[in-house]
Amino acid sequence: MFDLHRLRLLRELKHRGTLAAVATALSYAPSSVSQQLSQLETEVGVPLLEPVGRRVRLTEQAEILVAHTEAVLERLERAEADIATSLTDLTGTIRIASFQTAALALVPAALGVLRTLHPDLRVHVTQREPEKALPALQARDFDLVIAEEYPGDPNPRPAELEQEDLLDDPLHLALPRPPADSPGPDRPTAALRALADHPWVMEPEGTAARHWAMTLCRNAGFEPDVRFETTDLLLQLRLVEEQHAAAFLPDLVWNGRDPGVALRPLPRGQRTRRVFTVVRRGSSRHPAVRACRDALRRAL
């Protein structure tokens, strides 16, 4: 019988990449993590790690073990959910990660719902972009992630994660006060192309939003002059308001308020982003997860 604790360490190494990262996440000494994995190799009877430069990677046999460990942990998630369901009161802690605009527009209202309906449930919220939040969810740093997906750029769908749609968030071209002869709202590609020589603010390289925005501009026939980079969409809005840049902004930024800037529609097929929640497979039945998802829907 393999030691489950050591199997979880091996799984942590797969998701976090280095022994040092595993040690930091679990508050262990790196030497302790290495020793535990060496003992697991002895139990299994085959090498589980192989050196690659100054790092290590999992062998084929280690990958097999991790896949089975994921199945065991999923079953334990289901057991935890069943136990929680059997209780009268909803208690414990749930850890949520959310990208900025959802954190501003949805999370505060959802927290109010949870405080009223489940006062003994402790909720931790961290602002984290999906690119970092989803791997952290797999590593069990969070229990639920609010994520986004841009048109034509579907996210990876790991088998160990489950998604549930929350809303479709309209996207707009936001621009400083447009000239009188600018293309009308019935010509979205022309309105976009008219800003070919204008400064832009976009999210940083490597984000899904940046990839989508660059593709949109290139499909309109130009390479955007990106002078400002930030994941803070409120800062993006401010730069548009002060006529320093154009931007692509979603409805959640205004949260029902007057936009205060000129908005133009985007080309068909590019007008909404998908906002959804993600949990680990096996945990979707947990009462705390169900309560959080219900509270977010009420917050819309």
Side-chain angles (χ1 to χ4, degrees):
M1 184 70 67
F2 303 143
D3 183 276
L4 181 58
H5 171 67
R6 293 169 188 151
L7 289 172
R8 292 186 71 165
L9 287 178
L10 185 66
R11 177 193 176 277
E12 289 285 334
L13 180 58
K14 174 179 174 61
H15 287 291
R16 300 188 189 274
T18 66
L19 293 171
V22 173
T24 299
L26 302 181
S27 300
Y28 288 166
S31 58
S32 175
V33 175
S34 180
Q35 182 182 32
Q36 292 287 317
L37 292 176
S38 294
Q39 291 176 356
L40 181 60
E41 282 190 327
T42 300
E43 291 177 358
V44 178
V46 296
L48 299 177
L49 305 177
E50 55 188 12
V52 180
R54 295 184 178 181
R55 305 176 65 173
V56 295
R57 69 182 175 196
L58 276 61
T59 63
E60 179 183 351
Q61 291 71 34
E63 294 282 0
I64 293 171
L65 268 183
V66 168
H68 283 285
T69 302
E70 296 282 9
V72 171
L73 293 177
E74 178 186 334
R75 192 58 185 256
L76 290 175
E77 295 258 22
R78 294 180 186 276
E80 183 181 354
D82 288 343
I83 292 172
T85 301
S86 72
L87 300 175
T88 304
D89 298 322
L90 184 53
T91 60
T93 299
I94 186 165
R95 302 159 300 169
I96 299 174
S98 173
F99 63 95
Q100 185 202 38
T101 45
L104 286 170
L106 302 177
V107 170
L111 290 175
V113 173
L114 291 170
R115 181 176 57 195
T116 300
L117 298 180
H118 308 288
D120 295 325
L121 178 65
R122 184 181 179 91
V123 184
H124 287 190
V125 178
T126 301
Q127 183 181 317
R128 190 75 54 87
E129 295 304 309
E131 290 84 2
K132 295 183 178 179
L134 291 173
L137 174 66
Q138 291 180 277
R140 284 178 160 71
D141 292 339
F142 299 111
D143 303 305
L144 181 145
V145 169
I146 306 173
E148 60 184 348
E149 184 175 87
Y150 281 81
D153 189 22
N155 295 328
R157 285 170 166 72
E160 61 268 26
L161 299 181
E162 297 179 344
Q163 300 184 5
E164 182 175 287
D165 287 342
L166 187 57
L167 76 151
D168 288 330
D169 188 21
L171 296 161
H172 308 276
L173 170 61
L175 59 156
R177 211 174 299 113
D181 59 349
S182 65
D186 58 335
R187 300 174 60 199
T189 300
L192 185 55
R193 192 178 297 121
L195 295 167
D197 297 323
H198 197 78
W200 286 82
V201 55
M202 293 184 181
E203 295 200 27
E205 291 280 0
T207 60
R210 177 61 171 270
H211 179 264
W212 167 78
M214 295 296 290
T215 301
L216 195 56
C217 292
R218 287 166 180 165
N219 286 342
F222 69 95
E223 191 73 14
D225 178 12
V226 182
R227 299 191 193 178
F228 312 100
E229 292 184 311
T230 177
T231 59
D232 186 339
L233 296 193
L234 294 179
L235 176 55
Q236 291 195 19
L237 175 59
R238 186 64 175 159
L239 290 170
V240 177
E241 289 174 337
E242 295 297 324
Q243 303 186 52
H244 296 302
F248 297 113
L249 294 174
D251 264 9
L252 282 182
V253 170
W254 299 287
N255 194 22
R257 298 185 297 271
D258 180 11
V261 296
L263 300 180
R264 292 289 184 269
L266 297 177
R268 293 187 183 279
Q270 303 292 331
R271 296 179 178 176
T272 59
R273 65 173 176 173
R274 172 176 168 253
V275 179
F276 55 99
T277 57
V278 192
V279 299
R280 290 183 298 277
R281 186 172 298 279
S283 69
S284 59
R285 296 188 303 171
H286 196 289
V289 170
R290 293 206 306 264
C292 286
R293 282 177 158 171
D294 178 65
L296 287 166
R297 285 190 293 269
R298 291 173 182 236
L300 293 175

